[in-house]
Amino acid sequence: MTNMIQALRTLNYEGTVVFWRNGRLETMKYFHAVDHGKEQERLVALNSPLREVVRNGDVVSCRYNDTQGVVFDHRPYERSFLVNFSRTLAELDDFYEFSLSGKEDVAMLPAYVIDIEPKDEFRYARRIWVEKLQFLPLKTAVYDASGALLEQVVFTEQHVKAALPFREAGPEAGQANTLAGQAIKDGNTGVLPFTVTDSPAGFRPIYFARKTMHDSHLPVDYLLMSDGLTSISVYKENKSPEMELGLRSVGATNYYSLSLGDYQITAMGEAPPEAVKSIVEGVRLNPPIVQKLQPK
């Protein structure tokens, strides 16, 4: 797995990849380019809606062909559209068990089959097929506790290149819908508008931002929590009559919302219902920070 994480970040490669998520199939061209330590990922849709998704560092943009409209997001915590490890494997040992379960061919390439089993009910099981020579992932799958397949990503063909061109970033590439953001270090959440007091073991706050959501100009407080493999997003926003409360599920993604004072708190992520519910029910609002004026 360590070889795969290194290969994901350092090799130039491209291919055709099929995403099966939320009961829908989507085929896209995938490109990963590296130049002097700088990475760029691109996904180009082959079917409607035609669009191109580009990750330059921590900024992700999505350009739609029909309108030429571009949507930006700031994701300093995301390293790959394919498989995203934000911690070392040693740090994941308390929460997952990694094992080599066999060998299979994917896209006519021999691959090792790696099983990732959770050690509690707050995470999904995963399986990754890793190509034997270059150690790139050829296929990933997510399963629920009963073993039912929830989502899958499969390369139908994959090629490693000596180099790949970078897509030129437009002048707007530095923009995003993040109004203010900060990485959270050493668990320092004292400056945040809310705190998660009782989350499943291993999940810790890693990033906070104030964003605009739902095509609205109103800011939404956003906290990302992760155990290093599974990520859960927590949102605090003003209550609205149109908002749904309780549990909702779409494929591997679960949502849970409740009212807290004048706000609605929602957690969502590719995690079991128990995980998002536990996090939302552990949210506590922090008192606003009052800036004291210094006497002249």
Side-chain angles (χ1 to χ4, degrees):
M1 293 297 292
T2 301
N3 289 336
M4 183 199 74
I5 295 171
Q6 179 72 6
L8 275 168
R9 299 173 184 172
T10 60
L11 294 181
N12 294 283
Y13 52 102
E14 63 181 9
T16 303
V17 63
V18 178
F19 294 85
W20 181 72
R21 288 173 175 164
N22 304 332
R24 296 178 61 248
L25 277 174
E26 182 164 31
T27 304
M28 306 184 85
K29 294 293 292 185
Y30 175 86
F31 305 87
H32 181 269
V34 181
D35 183 23
H36 294 90
K38 180 181 177 183
E39 290 183 74
Q40 183 182 82
E41 275 188 303
R42 288 196 297 131
L43 285 169
V44 180
L46 301 181
N47 302 296
S48 296
L50 296 177
R51 65 200 185 281
E52 180 182 51
V53 185
V54 180
R55 180 175 69 86
N56 281 300
D58 58 6
V59 175
V60 176
S61 63
C62 180
R63 184 183 301 273
Y64 292 87
N65 288 25
D66 54 352
T67 65
Q68 290 301 300
V70 185
V71 178
F72 294 90
D73 198 7
H74 185 226
R75 301 182 188 179
Y77 46 83
E78 185 171 277
R79 297 180 182 273
S80 172
F81 292 146
L82 302 175
V83 184
N84 193 40
F85 287 87
S86 62
R87 298 192 201 175
T88 64
L89 295 182
E91 293 181 288
L92 296 172
D93 284 343
D94 290 338
F95 319 116
Y96 299 93
E97 183 174 341
F98 296 80
S99 62
L100 176 64
S101 64
K103 301 175 183 179
E104 295 180 7
D105 290 340
V106 179
M108 300 184 69
L109 295 171
Y112 298 109
V113 183
I114 310 295
D115 281 341
I116 306 175
E117 293 291 339
K119 295 184 177 181
D120 58 31
E121 71 275 20
F122 298 112
R123 293 153 246 265
Y124 284 138
R126 300 168 188 265
R127 178 171 285 178
I128 303 178
W129 288 255
V130 181
E131 197 271 328
K132 286 186 177 181
L133 296 179
Q134 302 292 346
F135 299 107
L136 288 170
L138 295 170
K139 180 178 176 181
T140 65
V142 179
Y143 304 90
D144 68 12
S146 70
L149 180 65
L150 295 174
E151 70 174 41
Q152 190 168 247
V153 180
V154 186
F155 276 93
T156 60
E157 46 95 17
Q158 187 186 83
H159 309 283
V160 175
K161 303 288 186 177
L164 283 173
F166 274 63
R167 183 190 182 281
E168 288 298 325
E172 74 278 16
Q175 300 175 5
N177 65 340
T178 300
L179 302 181
Q182 65 185 76
I184 298 174
K185 298 181 180 179
D186 303 321
N188 180 23
T189 60
V191 298
L192 303 184
F194 64 89
T195 303
V196 181
T197 60
D198 186 21
S199 59
F203 285 94
R204 65 188 186 194
I206 62 172
Y207 181 76
F208 172 77
R210 181 157 288 177
K211 315 176 85 171
T212 54
M213 305 289 288
H214 309 306
D215 299 322
S216 167
H217 296 295
L218 296 176
V220 174
D221 291 325
Y222 163 71
L223 179 67
L224 182 76
M225 304 188 70
S226 176
D227 67 0
L229 179 57
T230 300
S231 296
I232 295 178
S233 299
V234 188
Y235 300 92
K236 166 182 161 285
E237 54 193 316
N238 292 330
K239 277 198 281 192
S240 167
E242 294 80 22
M243 293 179 177
E244 296 183 40
L245 300 178
L247 179 68
R248 291 158 287 152
S249 299
V250 181
T253 303
N254 284 290
Y255 306 74
Y256 187 77
S257 300
L258 56 71
S259 294
L260 185 61
D262 295 328
Y263 303 99
Q264 174 166 313
I265 309 297
T266 300
M268 60 170 287
E270 291 183 353
E274 296 84 355
V276 293
K277 188 172 186 289
S278 174
I279 285 176
V280 167
E281 293 180 345
V283 169
R284 300 293 180 269
L285 300 180
N286 292 333
I289 297 174
V290 178
Q291 298 290 339
K292 293 184 179 180
L293 296 178
Q294 296 296 325
K296 295 183 179 179

